[in-house]
């Protein structure tokens, strides 16, 4: 956790909760609070769930899950139970409860695994499996995920297998989403073009929740070979808006000229969450291509060598 004066944390929280500020500034405030952590950061993030932007609220829940602070459980539980919240927000609250991984949330996740909104129900099933997996495993073993991205994932990766076998599991609609997610994260962790292309086939899966997670993972990989697949789903007006939003953000992370061009095309999309995702993604493109980022990236590569 970053040590920082409480009045500065409050000021950052005020930026997050100020609806007059540009969305990109509020997102930066949110990510700063996530990195700071602590009770005041959790409280500031929790206050923002009455916002009008589903995209922002979705990201609030995601960040609370990544912080893995049990103090966030009450607010996430309220968001999950609030049927007036958008499905993508409730889904992310459920996933965050799974990310925190405390066994106290089992009963809640069991109850909402029967939710009439399929994305919410599926998320609760996966989150419940993760909580139970953590409980069954020794803590040391549970942390041996070999995750190069330092993210708290909805499932652990599958045991090492060939790309072909992992892709077979990934696309097996008869298998559980938990197992298919495990194959997904195992493919991501390989960080090869072959594995990336295998993952991209998941954008044709039947479950919108599954397709959305594939897009998220492709954004983590930042491999240019996935761009045509992400663009195809973003351009599809029949695609679930949760998937289109994640494709837009993945394109923002990859940040090629083609990505920037396509994202600009959808800045006026009729779906607010897609439009706002493109706005945030273009800010990501600008950052990824900035001299500051290029310098930092070079330092990381030198240190890894």
């Amino acid at each position: 956790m970053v040590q920082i004066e409480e009045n500065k944390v409050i000021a950052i929280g005020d930026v997050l909760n100020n609806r007059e500020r540009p969305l990109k500034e509020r997102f930066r405030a949110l990510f700063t609070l996530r990195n700071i952590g602590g009770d005041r950061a959790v409280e500031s993030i929790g206050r923002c769930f009455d916002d009008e932007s589903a995209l922002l609220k979705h990201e609030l829940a995601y960040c609370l899950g990544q912080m893995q602070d049990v103090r966030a459980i009450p607010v996430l539980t309220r968001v999950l139970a609030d049927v007036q919240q958008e499905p993508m927000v409730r889904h992310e609250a459920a996933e965050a409860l799974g990310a925190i991984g405390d066994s106290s949330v089992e009963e809640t996740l069991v109850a909402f695994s029967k939710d009439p909104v399929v994305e919410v129900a599926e998320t609760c099933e996966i989150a419940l499996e993760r909580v139970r997996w953590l409980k069954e495993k020794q803590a040391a073993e549970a942390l041996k995920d070999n995750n190069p991205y330092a993210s708290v994932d909805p499932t652990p990766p599958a045991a090492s297998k060939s790309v072909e076998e992992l892709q077979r599991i990934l696309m097996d609609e008869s298998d559980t989403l938990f197992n298919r997610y495990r194959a997904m994260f195992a493919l991501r962790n390989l960080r090869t073009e072959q594995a990336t292309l295998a993952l991209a086939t998941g954008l044709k899966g039947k479950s919108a929740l599954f397709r959305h997670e594939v897009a998220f993972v492709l954004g983590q990989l930042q491999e240019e070979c996935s761009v045509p697949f992400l663009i195809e789903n973003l351009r599809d007006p029949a695609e679930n808006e949760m998937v289109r939003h994640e494709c837009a953000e993945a394109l923002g992370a990859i940040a090629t000229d083609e990505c920037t061009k396509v994202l600009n095309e959808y800045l006026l999309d009729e779906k607010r969450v897609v439009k706002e995702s493109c706005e945030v993604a273009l800010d990501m493109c600008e950052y990824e291509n900035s001299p500051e980022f290029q310098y930092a990236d070079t330092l990381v590569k030198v240190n890894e060598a």
Side-chain angles (χ1 to χ4, degrees):
M1 185 200 310
V2 178
Q3 295 298 318
I4 189 167
E5 295 175 19
E6 184 173 346
N7 63 332
K8 292 183 179 178
V9 180
I10 293 171
I12 297 166
D14 288 343
V15 173
L16 170 63
N17 282 278
N18 186 346
R19 300 186 187 191
E20 301 302 315
R21 301 292 284 264
L23 194 61
K24 64 182 181 181
E25 289 185 12
R26 300 176 73 192
F27 265 68
R28 289 176 182 179
L30 171 60
F31 297 140
T32 302
L33 289 171
R34 179 192 66 184
N35 292 337
I36 292 170
D39 186 54
R40 182 65 71 179
V42 170
E43 186 275 331
S44 293
I45 295 171
R47 274 194 291 124
C48 203
F49 277 106
D50 63 350
D51 200 85
E52 295 178 353
S53 169
L55 177 67
L56 179 61
K57 290 184 290 186
H58 154 278
E59 210 67 30
L60 299 174
Y62 174 75
C63 286
L64 288 176
Q66 294 298 296
M67 291 161 74
Q68 293 191 296
D69 190 327
V70 293
R71 289 172 291 191
I73 290 175
V75 67
L76 290 167
T77 302
R78 287 198 299 273
V79 172
L80 172 58
D82 184 359
V83 295
Q84 299 305 312
Q85 290 281 10
E86 297 85 351
M88 68 180 290
V89 179
R90 295 180 64 218
H91 132 76
E92 201 64 52
E95 189 167 288
L97 290 171
I100 293 170
D102 191 84
S103 59
S104 66
V105 303
E106 279 193 63
E107 186 176 337
T108 298
L109 293 172
V110 168
F112 287 97
S113 66
K114 301 174 180 63
D115 197 87
V117 178
V118 65
E119 292 85 4
V120 173
E122 289 179 341
T123 304
C124 287
E125 290 173 4
I126 296 168
L128 182 61
E129 289 268 13
R130 183 179 191 275
V131 171
R132 289 173 173 170
W133 181 84
L134 285 170
K135 191 162 64 172
E136 290 170 3
K137 299 288 181 181
Q138 294 295 323
E141 183 182 351
L143 292 173
K144 289 180 181 177
D145 286 357
N146 298 318
N147 178 358
Y149 298 94
S151 55
V152 184
D153 298 324
T155 74
S160 182
K161 295 182 176 70
S162 69
V163 170
E164 291 80 8
E165 177 61 13
L166 288 170
Q167 185 179 16
R168 185 196 66 74
I169 298 169
L170 180 80
M171 298 307 294
D172 185 355
E173 299 283 353
S174 67
D175 207 340
T176 65
L177 280 174
F178 188 80
N179 285 338
R180 295 173 70 196
Y181 270 44
R182 294 195 69 176
M184 185 190 307
F185 292 114
L187 283 166
R188 179 202 63 188
N189 291 354
L190 291 174
R191 294 198 287 180
T192 66
E193 182 172 336
Q194 182 188 11
T196 302
L197 292 172
L199 276 168
T201 62
L203 289 171
K204 298 301 182 185
K206 291 182 180 179
S207 163
L209 180 71
F210 178 80
R211 297 195 302 277
H212 130 283
E213 197 67 28
V214 169
F216 174 79
V217 166
L218 291 173
Q220 287 186 307
L221 280 163
Q222 296 180 290
E223 291 285 350
E224 194 170 341
C225 63
S226 67
V227 167
F229 304 95
L230 291 164
I231 289 175
E232 182 180 353
N233 282 51
L234 173 60
R235 288 194 187 282
D236 183 359
E239 177 60 280
N240 185 293
E241 63 183 39
M242 185 167 75
V243 182
R244 295 182 66 217
H245 124 76
E246 207 66 71
C247 288
E249 293 203 357
L251 291 169
I254 298 169
T256 63
D257 289 344
E258 183 181 16
C259 295
T260 300
K261 177 177 179 295
V262 171
L263 289 168
N264 272 295
E265 291 175 18
Y266 288 90
L267 277 175
L268 298 176
D269 195 87
E270 62 179 21
K271 296 290 187 180
R272 177 174 175 171
V273 71
V274 175
K275 176 177 73 70
E276 290 182 343
S277 295
C278 290
E279 179 185 335
V280 171
L282 284 166
D283 187 51
M284 291 166 61
C285 283
E286 184 179 339
Y287 173 70
E288 292 282 347
N289 291 307
S290 67
E292 294 82 4
F293 178 81
Q294 298 299 331
Y295 175 69
D297 190 45
T298 300
L299 287 180
V300 170
K301 287 175 180 175
V302 167
N303 289 331
E304 287 180 343

